[in-house]
Amino acid sequence: MNSKSSFHFGVGWPSILMIFVVLCLTTFGVLSYVTANADCKISIKNSQTVQGYYRANRQVQEKLRQADGALLAARTNTRQALKSGAAGSSEIQAVLKGNLPKSKKCEECYRLFSRRLLSQCSGIEVEAGQTEGGALCCSYAAAAGRDRKILVEFSVNPYASAERYKITEEKLVPTQSSSEENRSSESTMQLWQGSSKAG
């Protein structure tokens, strides 16, 4: 009797191969899901960061518009005070009655009017000191979300200047919290510097 030897796969090999393929596909599916989920979270955070920055930038521009309006009003008040020789404030009254030249009276009245009107603008801080050129130094900040804020500092130009103010610094900084007080200033980002022409 001739015995023919034939080689054939049993039922176990295709089952093992099928299990291996299913495991590979499941693993790749889970990895794809985890990656897509992480990308989605990063995209949402990025979107919130960008929206927060532009929302803060809009607030910054609104504050700058208010400050510019206050400085324009200070110029108008200065012209009227010099023309009429009278003003409501005792400080300005003292300047007008003093023996200063007209240009100095004009500058001092404008500085006093500017300080008073800028101090009335919500959120704008006017420093008590002056710079070397006699300009007032002002600052304000707007929250940009995610523990950041846009900090703007500007100086008020003299009355005779064509520009009412000059932005001296505008930067994105982390908000100070108890855990971040010792963070170095290297994490700030310098932003565009600008100024306003007198209208």
Side-chain angles (χ1 to χ4, degrees):
M1 189 175 199
N2 281 342
S3 65
K4 233 181 184 181
S5 66
S6 62
F7 180 78
H8 60 84
F9 284 107
V11 178
W13 284 104
S15 298
I16 292 173
L17 185 60
M18 183 60 80
I19 291 170
F20 178 73
V21 169
V22 168
L23 285 175
C24 288
L25 292 175
T26 303
T27 303
F28 289 139
V30 169
L31 288 175
S32 297
Y33 172 77
V34 169
T35 303
N37 191 33
D39 288 344
C40 180
K41 287 179 180 177
I42 289 173
S43 297
I44 290 171
K45 283 183 181 179
N46 187 41
S47 172
Q48 290 172 346
T49 300
V50 170
Q51 287 175 4
Y53 172 78
Y54 282 110
R55 190 169 31 252
N57 192 48
R58 187 178 69 236
Q59 292 172 1
V60 161
Q61 296 305 319
E62 177 61 25
K63 281 288 181 214
L64 201 53
R65 186 192 64 78
Q66 291 175 13
D68 191 49
L71 294 175
L72 189 59
R75 283 191 178 197
T76 303
N77 292 348
T78 300
R79 278 196 297 270
Q80 290 174 352
L82 289 171
K83 189 175 180 181
S84 66
S89 169
S90 59
E91 285 181 306
I92 296 172
Q93 200 67 27
V95 170
L96 292 173
K97 291 180 178 177
N99 294 327
L100 295 171
K102 186 176 180 181
S103 62
K104 292 286 185 185
K105 283 183 181 180
C106 184
E107 289 296 338
E108 190 60 23
C109 285
Y110 178 61
R111 189 183 69 79
L112 291 170
F113 276 123
S114 296
R115 173 174 292 198
R116 186 173 68 193
L117 292 173
L118 286 171
S119 297
Q120 292 172 0
C121 294
S122 174
I124 297 178
E125 296 179 14
V126 183
E127 290 186 14
Q130 294 178 315
T131 60
E132 291 178 8
L136 296 172
C137 297
C138 306
S139 64
Y140 57 94
R146 295 183 53 81
D147 300 326
R148 299 184 314 164
K149 64 182 177 182
I150 297 178
L151 178 65
V152 178
E153 295 176 1
F154 67 93
S155 59
V156 178
N157 288 337
Y159 179 81
S161 175
E163 299 177 341
R164 287 188 281 274
Y165 63 89
K166 181 180 180 185
I167 296 177
T168 55
E169 192 168 22
E170 183 173 354
K171 58 187 176 181
L172 189 64
V173 296
T175 54
Q176 294 296 321
S177 65
S178 58
S179 62
E180 295 175 336
E181 285 178 358
N182 297 326
R183 183 178 288 186
S184 68
S185 60
E186 293 176 5
S187 60
T188 61
M189 180 187 346
Q190 297 297 325
L191 301 177
W192 174 79
Q193 304 295 313
S195 60
S196 170
K197 299 278 184 187

